[in-house]
Amino acid sequence: MTARYTESKERSAELLRAALRCMGQHDAGCNPVSFTVWYEYSAGINAPLNLALDQCLRSEPRLGDDTLRRLYHAHIADPDQEVVHKISHALQQVMTGVVDNATSTGAQAGAFGQQIDRLALALRAPGLAAVTPLLDATLAGADEMQQTALALVQQINASRLEINRLRADLTRARDEALLDPLTGVLNRKGFDAQLDQLLRQPAGPAEAPLLIMIDIDHFKAVNDTHGHVLGDQVIRGLAEVLRTCAGQPGHSVARYGGEEFAILLPHGAVADGLRVAEDVRQRIKAMKLRDRRTQAVVLRVTVSAGVALMRPDDDPASWIARADGALYQSKQGGRDRVSSG
């Protein structure tokens, strides 16, 4: 799974300004949840979020905290809450530091402005004796103002680096919560999130999202005969093949559980799903695991697969059940084959 935020420095700066403008136009607080929603909305990287947010804007021109929180939890992957809490707290501290410095600078500017006003009045007086101390105070205030502004610039630069680090931590936490540690593909939680997103799309009569369920044949025998270390190599090898066969934009690969994997295609016909599954089957069958010392082939692996096109009345359970049914049909038919359901 690629990182969620891949924008360049220049593009992310534009999106930062756009997100801040949006935050200023609404009633929700300036917090990490609100910022993340408006950042992804401005970036256009989360279609379901943009659709839901546009619908909210039609009925609620000024969005509040409850609406922003609901959009965040419904449409942005939710990593480990403890990690999010720590990162959000740190981000809030950074933002508070910037605000405090800006407030201090504003106060200094106000005091400096009053000194200038007094100097102007003194210059209009008949005598100029009062000018000298006021001028000295003004010069001192100017110097203090310069030092305060410099401190603010340094604080903003340090805060920018800290915010970038915190955002990277948040992205990494979100990704780790959705990835299988052995293979690097989506885990069951990530699969469920992708499945739910595809179910929100309208299904057509001939082209719709496709689900492919894939299972390693006789995997228990692989572990019993060759051990779990080689078994893990087989699982990682299958994940790499799946990435290659389902590498188009929008395609998702997940480890559904144990030796069972899933591929989600955003749109296509049943024939497209059968073609991808057959490509996987043939590539896996061509793999040979060899003894590193003798180069002798110690294991050949096959897989069975089931393909199901999403129907308009499908929910997650019914869609998965049909794909699993097609997979079972392949198993019953002798394994090392692909079926549709």
Side-chain angles (χ1 to χ4, degrees):
M1 180 178 179
T2 57
R4 188 180 187 89
Y5 305 113
T6 58
E7 298 80 20
S8 66
K9 180 178 179 180
E10 292 75 14
R11 174 59 176 159
S12 61
E14 294 176 4
L15 294 173
L16 171 63
R17 291 191 290 270
L20 291 176
R21 282 197 300 271
C22 292
M23 292 169 69
Q25 295 168 2
H26 294 271
D27 296 331
C30 296
N31 53 59
V33 168
S34 176
F35 174 79
T36 303
V37 169
W38 287 116
Y39 183 94
E40 295 205 2
Y41 178 81
S42 301
I45 59 176
N46 189 333
L49 170 67
N50 284 38
L51 179 62
L53 203 154
D54 286 337
Q55 291 175 343
C56 290
L57 289 172
R58 284 194 283 270
S59 59
E60 187 182 351
R62 294 183 65 85
L63 304 182
D65 287 311
D66 290 342
T67 301
L68 268 293
R69 279 195 296 269
R70 177 172 55 81
L71 290 168
Y72 177 88
H73 289 296
H75 299 288
I76 298 175
D78 188 15
D80 182 84
Q81 290 299 316
E82 183 178 356
V83 175
V84 171
H85 176 74
K86 290 179 180 178
I87 294 174
S88 297
H89 179 67
L91 181 58
Q92 192 65 44
Q93 286 182 322
V94 171
M95 295 174 69
T96 300
V98 173
V99 171
D100 289 345
N101 268 271
T103 301
S104 175
T105 300
Q108 293 291 335
F112 182 53
Q114 291 174 1
Q115 291 175 342
I116 293 293
D117 289 340
R118 288 197 296 271
L119 176 61
L121 289 173
L123 288 173
R124 297 190 186 96
L128 298 180
V131 173
T132 299
L134 287 174
L135 184 57
D136 290 341
T138 300
L139 292 173
D143 182 65
E144 187 175 355
M145 182 68 186
Q146 184 179 21
Q147 295 302 318
T148 304
L150 179 61
L152 177 61
V153 170
Q154 293 173 341
Q155 172 72 11
I156 289 174
N157 287 336
S159 298
R160 184 184 297 113
L161 294 174
E162 182 67 6
I163 288 171
N164 287 339
R165 184 188 67 79
L166 292 169
R167 191 175 73 175
D169 287 346
L170 185 59
T171 300
R172 183 165 53 252
R174 180 185 290 116
D175 286 348
E176 289 175 352
L178 300 176
L179 294 181
D180 173 59
L182 178 63
T183 63
V185 301
L186 293 174
N187 59 17
R188 180 63 181 272
K189 183 178 180 180
F191 168 79
D192 289 342
Q194 289 292 101
L195 192 77
D196 180 67
Q197 184 171 328
L198 286 178
L199 282 167
R200 297 173 186 272
Q201 300 179 10
E207 284 209 354
L210 286 149
L211 171 60
I212 305 171
M213 301 299 290
I214 299 169
D215 189 75
I216 300 173
D217 295 328
H218 303 298
F219 186 70
K220 184 177 183 302
V222 173
N223 278 334
D224 291 345
T225 303
H226 301 281
H228 289 278
V229 173
L230 188 60
D232 286 350
Q233 291 180 13
V234 171
I235 288 176
R236 283 194 293 265
L238 175 56
E240 286 301 316
V241 170
L242 296 180
R243 283 194 187 96
T244 301
C245 296
Q248 297 298 316
H251 293 185
S252 300
V253 176
R255 187 180 180 189
Y256 189 75
E259 68 274 19
E260 190 170 6
F261 286 77
I263 298 176
L264 285 166
L265 308 181
H267 55 78
V270 173
D272 298 315
L274 292 172
R275 176 181 50 77
V276 172
E278 180 62 21
D279 190 19
V280 171
R281 187 192 70 81
Q282 292 184 14
R283 288 175 184 246
I284 291 297
K285 191 170 184 178
M287 287 175 54
K288 301 179 182 67
L289 295 178
R290 299 178 182 272
D291 186 300
R292 290 183 178 179
R293 295 167 299 176
T294 65
Q295 292 302 305
V297 176
V298 296
L299 180 64
R300 293 177 183 269
V301 179
T302 62
V303 297
S304 299
V307 179
L309 189 73
M310 190 186 79
R311 296 172 179 171
D313 58 347
D314 267 329
D315 58 23
S318 64
W319 194 11
I320 293 172
R322 285 192 295 105
D324 263 334
L327 173 60
Y328 181 76
Q329 181 180 337
S330 294
K331 294 282 190 182
Q332 291 296 103
R335 294 183 171 85
D336 187 25
R337 63 192 62 208
V338 175
S339 304
S340 63

